[in-house]
Amino acid sequence: MLITITPDHLKEYPAHEHSEYEIICYLQGNGKMQTDRGDFPFQKGTILLIPPRVRHRSVSENGFKNICVHTADRLLTEAEILVGADNEQGDAQTLAKMLLRAYLGRSSGNENVLIGLYNAYRELITSLLSSVADARAESIRRALVNNVNNAEFNIAEALTARGATADHLRVLFKKSYGCTPVQYLTRLRISYACDLFNVYGEKMRVNEAAYASGFNDCLYFSKCFKKQTGQTPKEYKNRRAAEKTTEKTTEKTTEKTTEKSNGR
């Protein structure tokens, strides 16, 4: 394990990579972490987990300061760059400083203290990263739900607006919901189209259902619809219309039988 701290008001740390994981906690400043997987903005309290062999560097116009923990910890298995934030109490920054002091003053007598502090720090960082990841995934999900009918909605823009690379956020989303944002939105839209057919029946035209469900292309809508339901939109609409007719006939028959029974 190696623990380092940058000088005050450092404006650039040269591009480099490590054979181990690197946990970075920013104590001062704001700027960008530039990596070969995209750029990640940082500010005081930002936490980054950099996997091995990822080239990266920090840059800031007004300077920054951070504490870096390099570790071969086998409990860290993430292949993606993870971004999080310290809690309101600043516990991650406090623990990082304590860990640095223990590391710099290490001796045979305080090995257990150093290990204990590191384990506490790792658990806190893991928890903070997970909560941010879950919050981002939920934020994306809400954006998808709110734009079911919006054919102009751009998923890529919605992802990058959340302070990380689109690829990283797709991974977070899939980890939480088992599918990509595009797949999730398509499912929502097809389900909504089914609801339209269920409510309006034969009055709802296929092209109208497509546009009302956020599709610009009616052919693509039909392809997605069949993939999800196993039927074309027309087949689904006709089946639901037939089922409704059967339901009405059954209701009328039941009513007549009840009337006859009461008449007796």
Side-chain angles (χ1 to χ4, degrees), residues 251-264:
E251 287 175 3
K252 288 181 180 180
T253 302
T254 302
E255 288 176 2
K256 288 180 180 180
T257 301
T258 303
E259 289 174 359
K260 287 181 180 180
S261 297
N262 291 337
R264 290 177 183 173

Side-chain angles (χ1 to χ4, degrees), residues 53-126:
R53 304 303 179 194
V54 174
R55 196 161 181 77
H56 59 284
R57 71 173 189 145
S58 293
V59 293
S60 170
E61 289 187 6
N62 299 315
F64 67 91
K65 185 175 185 178
N66 64 32
I67 292 177
C68 300
V69 178
H70 306 266
T71 174
D73 194 332
R74 292 182 179 180
L75 294 179
L76 298 175
T77 59
E78 294 291 342
E80 297 293 327
I81 297 172
L82 297 185
V83 186
D86 200 357
N87 56 30
E88 293 182 359
Q89 294 74 32
D91 290 337
Q93 296 169 76
T94 299
L95 266 177
K97 293 173 185 176
M98 292 173 65
L99 185 58
L100 176 68
R101 285 197 295 271
Y103 177 80
L104 294 177
R106 67 189 181 283
S107 64
S108 58
N110 74 346
E111 282 288 331
N112 291 335
V113 173
L114 182 61
I115 292 172
L117 282 172
Y118 169 74
N119 288 337
Y121 185 61
R122 182 197 60 215
E123 290 303 312
L124 175 61
I125 294 300
T126 300

Side-chain angles (χ1 to χ4, degrees), residues 6 50 61 65 74 77-78 85 91 101 137 151 156-157 171-172 175 179 188 192 197 217 226 229 254 257:
T6 58
I50 310 294
E61 289 187 6
K65 185 175 185 178
R74 292 182 179 180
T77 59
E78 294 291 342
D91 290 337
R101 285 197 295 271
E157 290 180 0
V171 170
L172 291 184
K175 189 174 183 180
C179 62
L188 288 176
Y192 182 74
F197 289 133
D217 187 330
K226 186 169 184 178
T229 67
T254 302
T257 301

Side-chain angles (χ1 to χ4, degrees), residues 185-212:
L185 181 58
T186 299
R187 291 174 187 174
L188 288 176
R189 287 176 167 173
I190 297 303
S191 295
Y192 182 74
C194 288
D195 290 340
L196 292 176
F197 289 133
N198 293 340
V199 172
Y200 296 103
E202 293 179 321
K203 294 179 181 179
M204 175 60 65
R205 296 178 180 178
V206 172
N207 64 329
E208 291 174 337
Y211 299 139

Side-chain angles (χ1 to χ4, degrees), residues 5-6 20 39 49 51 81 113 116 127 150-151 167 178 218 220 242 251 259:
I5 186 169
T6 58
E20 301 175 333
D39 295 347
L49 177 63
I81 297 172
V113 173
S127 174
N150 182 8
D167 286 343
C218 195
Y220 180 64
E251 287 175 3
E259 289 174 359

